[in-house]
Amino acid sequence: RRRHFRSLACCAMLAPIIAEAIGAAAALSENEDPLWSSTSTASTDPVLRLTTSTYESTVFHSGKNGMVMFYQSWCGHCIRFKPVWDELAMMADPSIFIARVDCGASADNKICRSSQITTYPTLRYFVDRTEHEYNDSLSIHKLREFVDSTLATPCNPLLDANTCSERAMKYSKRWLDKDATKIVGEMERLGKMMESSSVTAESRRWMVQRRDLLRLIHENQNAAKKEL
C-alpha cells in the first residue's frame, strides 16, 4: 500500500512537467512550417512568412506591391512549386514583397478562409492595396516577367532619383565613372555571392539590387558609346 501511495505521489509530481512538455510540443508544431523549415531558417528564408499579426500590415499598409502564395505543407503541387517561389523571392526587386501564408497553421487559417482560398497553391497579387487573382503561367520566367512589369518600381538613378533609396543612390554614384571591366567583374562577384546558402535573405536582396544597378549603368555606358 505504501508503494501504491508513493507511485501516486510520483505521478502527481510529474503531471505538471508532462503537461508543460506537451504544451511546448504543441506550440512548436503550431509555429513550425514543415515545407519551408526543412530547407531554410528565418534569416535565410527568401520568402516572407505572413501571419494573422502581419498579413494586413504587409499587403495593405506597407506601401509596396507584391504577391502571396497560399499553400498547405502536404500539398504535392505546393512542394513542387516551392523552389520556383523561392527563386522568385530571391530575384525580386526590393520594391515589392514575395510572401506566403500557411493555410495548414490553425492560427493563420482564418486568413485563408477570409480570402476564400479553396485550392493550393493559390497566388494573389496586390497593387495599390487592391487584391487580384493570378491565373497565368507558374514558370519562373513568366512570374519574373509579371512581377517586373506589373508590381515592381525599380530604382533608376539615371532617370529618377526618387525611385531609389539613399543607400542605392550612394552605391550608384560610386560606380558611375568606373570602367566596364570593373563593373562586369563586380556583377560576376555578386552573382557568386548570391549562390551561397548562408547568405541572409536581406543581404541577398541588397546584392540583387546592386547587380541590377550595375547592369543599368553598364547598359547606359554601352548605349553612350554607340552614339559616339
Side-chain angles (χ1 to χ4, degrees):
R1 181 175 295 177
R2 288 180 180 176
R3 290 180 181 174
H4 177 68
F5 285 136
R6 279 199 292 267
S7 296
L8 290 175
C10 178
C11 290
M13 292 174 63
L14 289 174
I17 299 174
I18 295 172
E20 184 178 353
I22 293 173
L28 177 63
S29 176
E30 177 66 31
N31 291 326
E32 71 178 11
D33 180 350
L35 185 54
W36 256 270
S37 62
S38 62
T39 57
S40 60
T41 64
S43 64
T44 60
D45 187 353
V47 181
L48 177 65
R49 181 180 182 182
L50 299 181
T51 64
T52 52
S53 62
T54 60
Y55 181 77
E56 289 194 1
S57 62
T58 299
V59 302
F60 296 123
H61 305 297
S62 67
K64 291 184 174 184
N65 297 332
M67 291 190 80
V68 178
M69 170 186 174
F70 297 86
Y71 66 98
Q72 291 269 11
S73 59
W74 48 258
C75 162
H77 293 298
C78 303
I79 294 170
R80 289 188 290 274
F81 182 62
K82 177 186 178 298
V84 175
W85 202 241
D86 280 340
E87 183 176 348
L88 180 67
M90 287 189 285
M91 298 295 106
D93 189 86
S95 64
I96 68 171
F97 62 84
I98 300 296
R100 57 189 170 90
V101 173
D102 181 4
C103 295
S106 58
D108 302 323
N109 184 257
K110 60 184 178 182
I111 300 174
C112 305
R113 293 198 304 271
S114 64
S115 299
Q116 299 181 328
I117 305 299
T118 57
T119 59
Y120 307 101
T122 289
L123 302 186
R124 299 276 173 85
Y125 65 95
F126 298 80
V127 178
D128 296 330
R129 301 189 295 177
T130 302
E131 184 174 354
H132 306 270
E133 188 93 26
Y134 177 83
N135 293 311
D136 207 338
S137 168
L138 297 183
S139 71
I140 185 60
H141 173 72
K142 286 293 185 181
L143 281 166
R144 287 194 64 183
E145 187 177 81
F146 174 80
V147 164
D148 290 342
S149 63
T150 307
L151 305 180
T153 307
C155 164
N156 190 331
L158 303 176
L159 294 180
D160 186 356
N162 292 325
T163 60
C164 304
S165 65
E166 183 179 351
R167 184 186 191 189
M169 283 301 299
K170 286 182 178 179
Y171 182 81
S172 299
K173 288 178 181 178
R174 282 171 43 203
W175 286 92
L176 284 174
D177 297 326
K178 302 287 185 181
D179 62 61
T181 302
K182 289 183 178 180
I183 292 175
V184 172
E186 180 64 6
M187 289 169 59
E188 292 175 350
R189 187 184 75 88
L190 288 170
K192 291 178 181 178
M193 289 173 63
M194 284 188 286
E195 294 175 359
S196 173
S197 59
S198 62
V199 175
T200 65
E202 183 178 354
S203 296
R204 183 178 282 108
R205 280 191 289 270
W206 175 228
M207 290 176 190
V208 169
Q209 186 173 23
R210 282 184 286 170
R211 188 189 61 181
D212 290 345
L213 288 169
L214 292 173
R215 183 182 293 118
L216 185 67
I217 293 170
H218 184 53
E219 290 173 353
N220 185 69
Q221 289 178 340
N222 288 337
K225 287 180 181 179
K226 290 180 180 179
E227 293 178 358
L228 295 177

